[in-house]
Amino acid sequence: MKKVIAIGELLIDFVPGEKGCALREVTHFERVAGGAPANVVSAVSRLGGSGVMVSQVGEDAFGEHIIDVLRHNGVDTSWVYRTKRANTGLAFVSLDSTGNREFSFFRNPSADLFLSPEQITPELMADGAVLHFCSVDLVDYPCRQAHRRAIELARERGMMICFDPNVRLPLWDTPESCQEAIREFLPYADIVKISDDELAFVTGCHTEAEAAKQLFAMNCRLMLVTRGAEGSAAYTLSAVAEREALRVPVVDTTGCGDSFIGSFLYQLVRDGVTAERLGELSAGELGRYLDFSARYASLTVGQKGAVMATLDELTAAYPETAQ
């Protein structure tokens, strides 16, 4: 199977030992390897696909732990660099009674921000099908230009480009600077994954139909919307599919969106879908992909931290997935 390559942040999430209280009230935390792009390629690899991570960590124990976890998940870490210039980033998280999160980030700056365009070479894209990225590392550091270089190389090879804005405003000087960076990179994406609470901020539109129309006027061929407890939707120029959310106990929503888009990309690559074919997917095909990813994401929210299931675990929980 061809590769899903993700570029962006690597960090340690300190998830709370208690739930239903504000971050300032949490007294115990558990260390969990994190970073949205890493979660995505971990999902791909755990499902049996080929995931590659491109990033940088500090020469510290936290960076070593992240690399160990990625390798354990089957992710290719050949393109995860080490640097003495900065430490690995940290994020402290609290969970309210519904599993939703509050973040406090420690990366002023962190090692991933110094990933440079010179570290991104054509060999990285060999046998690549998808390049996935988020907005967290689009701040004004070398990593922003590294993203540009990766996108340039991926487009030269005809790979699909997937962008999940994954808005984290505490990491930006102003909301406007975050919004400007996201909107600058949107035209590069064949696939845009967006959550319903980010829709207006990212696109300026207040309905999914309006947002889809705007994105399709750029380069986008497929818009995925996650709606939390309200389900999900997929839009192309010629088809729309919607699915209700699965009713499952929620322990922690960390990594839920990442598991959703990771499992969606896994299916596209598994089925040999190319950028040109995205717009030809039928409502039925889109619906089946949404069903698979909803089931997969349900296994993530049932555990603490961004835990990605294997294909065997998915089919054991949902036997209909194997049909």
Side-chain angles (χ1 to χ4, degrees), residues 154-270:
R155 292 185 72 86
E156 287 176 1
R157 283 188 167 267
M159 293 168 56
M160 289 185 285
I161 312 294
C162 178
F163 184 21
D164 176 359
N166 197 37
V167 177
R168 296 288 181 264
L169 291 181
L171 294 173
W172 296 81
D173 293 335
T174 65
E176 291 76 18
S177 60
C178 175
Q179 188 179 64
E180 180 182 348
I182 289 171
R183 292 181 177 179
E184 179 182 337
F185 278 78
L186 279 175
Y188 297 123
D190 300 293
I191 302 168
V192 175
K193 182 268 175 188
I194 192 167
S195 63
D196 56 350
D197 59 355
E198 297 171 338
L199 192 75
F201 180 83
V202 169
T203 67
C205 301
H206 294 283
T207 70
E208 293 175 12
E210 291 172 344
K213 183 177 180 181
Q214 181 185 103
L215 292 173
F216 294 151
M218 301 179 192
N219 187 61
C220 181
R221 304 166 192 256
L222 171 64
M223 182 181 81
L224 291 174
V225 182
T226 51
R227 303 167 176 166
E230 302 305 315
S232 59
Y235 294 78
T236 70
L237 271 173
S238 58
V240 178
E242 298 180 272
R243 288 295 188 270
E244 294 183 356
L246 297 172
R247 303 303 171 189
V248 297
V250 175
V251 174
D252 182 358
T253 58
T254 302
C256 180
D258 305 328
S259 62
F260 189 94
I261 184 60
S263 57
F264 202 98
L265 294 177
Y266 161 79
Q267 295 175 86
L268 293 178
V269 178
R270 177 199 66 193

Side-chain angles (χ1 to χ4, degrees), residues 37 39 87 93 149 168 176 180 186 211 230 249 284 292 297 302 304 308 318:
N39 294 337
N87 291 329
V93 189
R149 177 61 174 158
R168 296 288 181 264
E176 291 76 18
E180 180 182 348
L186 279 175
E230 302 305 315
F292 184 102
K304 186 183 291 185
M308 303 296 152
Y318 298 100

Side-chain angles (χ1 to χ4, degrees), residues 1 4 7 26 39 41 44 55 80 83 87 99 102 112 115 118 122 133 140 158 161 167 180 182 191 221 224 280 285:
M1 190 181 293
V4 175
I7 182 171
V26 179
N39 294 337
V41 288
V44 170
S55 189
V80 177
T83 182
N87 291 329
E102 176 188 351
D112 53 299
L115 182 72
E118 290 75 26
F133 68 102
D140 192 16
I161 312 294
V167 177
E180 180 182 348
I182 289 171
I191 302 168
R221 304 166 192 256
L224 291 174
E280 301 171 4
E285 289 174 303

Side-chain angles (χ1 to χ4, degrees), residues 11-16 22-26 29 88-95 101-108 168-172 254:
L11 50 84
I12 294 287
D13 286 328
F14 284 93
V15 299
L23 185 57
R24 67 180 183 275
E25 300 169 329
V26 179
F29 294 90
T88 304
L90 309 177
F92 289 82
V93 189
S94 66
L95 299 172
R101 301 155 295 163
E102 176 188 351
F103 291 93
S104 181
F105 292 95
F106 290 76
R107 58 170 223 163
N108 295 311
R168 296 288 181 264
L169 291 181
L171 294 173
W172 296 81
T254 302

Side-chain angles (χ1 to χ4, degrees), residues 9-11 56-60 83-90 105-115 136-137 139-143 171 173:
E9 74 276 10
L10 286 176
L11 50 84
Q56 189 160 248
V57 296
E59 292 195 358
D60 51 47
T83 182
K84 294 182 179 179
R85 193 169 181 181
N87 291 329
T88 304
L90 309 177
F105 292 95
F106 290 76
R107 58 170 223 163
N108 295 311
S110 54
D112 53 299
L113 299 180
F114 293 105
L115 182 72
V136 166
D137 272 7
V139 290
D140 192 16
Y141 276 87
C143 57
L171 294 173
D173 293 335

